[in-house]
Amino acid sequence: MLWILFFISKPDVFKSPNSETYVIFGEAKIEDLSSQLQTQAAQQFRMPNMGSMMAKSETTTAAAAAQEEEEEVDETGVEPRDIDLVMTQAGFPRSKAVKALKTHDGDIVSAIMELTNWAASRSDL
């Protein structure tokens, strides 16, 4: 079904004194409501809800922490801010972030990709 709305943003309205007849002057504009709904739906897919993403990463973090205890890992050669960034973006505990960073010689993007790909492959099971 096609919904089109006609509107006049600044109308000049005159009423006939002898009847219920109105004359409206102004610039008529068309608003396509179905087009607006399509645009809104497309924006939902373009801009993911950060709250749900954070909740998902917290769930992943909690599940990973529950499966294995947090183990101490030697963090030498790895920047603490890099570790924090990988933990935040991938949603994994510190030990896994350090291991991924060391595996990829400190490459943050590769470490995040490894952890998120691993998590995605585990969720398919």
Side-chain angles (χ1 to χ4, degrees), residues 29-97:
K29 296 183 180 180
I30 298 174
E31 187 171 325
D32 187 357
L33 297 177
S34 63
S35 173
Q36 278 187 340
L37 292 175
Q38 289 174 349
T39 303
Q40 288 174 353
Q43 286 176 349
Q44 278 183 327
F45 291 110
R46 227 179 300 148
M47 296 180 294
N49 184 355
M50 294 307 289
S52 66
M53 290 180 71
M54 293 304 291
K56 184 178 177 182
S57 68
E58 289 171 4
T59 303
T60 305
T61 304
Q67 288 179 356
E68 61 182 47
E69 291 182 26
E70 183 70 29
E71 55 191 63
E72 289 297 317
V73 177
D74 182 23
E75 297 178 7
T76 55
V78 182
E79 292 288 325
R81 67 174 186 243
D82 293 348
I83 298 169
D84 292 336
L85 181 62
V86 171
M87 288 172 55
T88 303
Q89 293 297 315
F92 277 83
R94 191 170 196 84
S95 62
K96 289 206 181 277

Side-chain angles (χ1 to χ4, degrees), residues 56 60 63-64 67-68 92 96 114-125:
K56 184 178 177 182
T60 305
Q67 288 179 356
E68 61 182 47
F92 277 83
K96 289 206 181 277
E114 175 188 325
L115 292 173
T116 55
N117 287 339
W118 180 83
S121 69
R122 300 291 290 171
S123 67
D124 291 340
L125 298 178

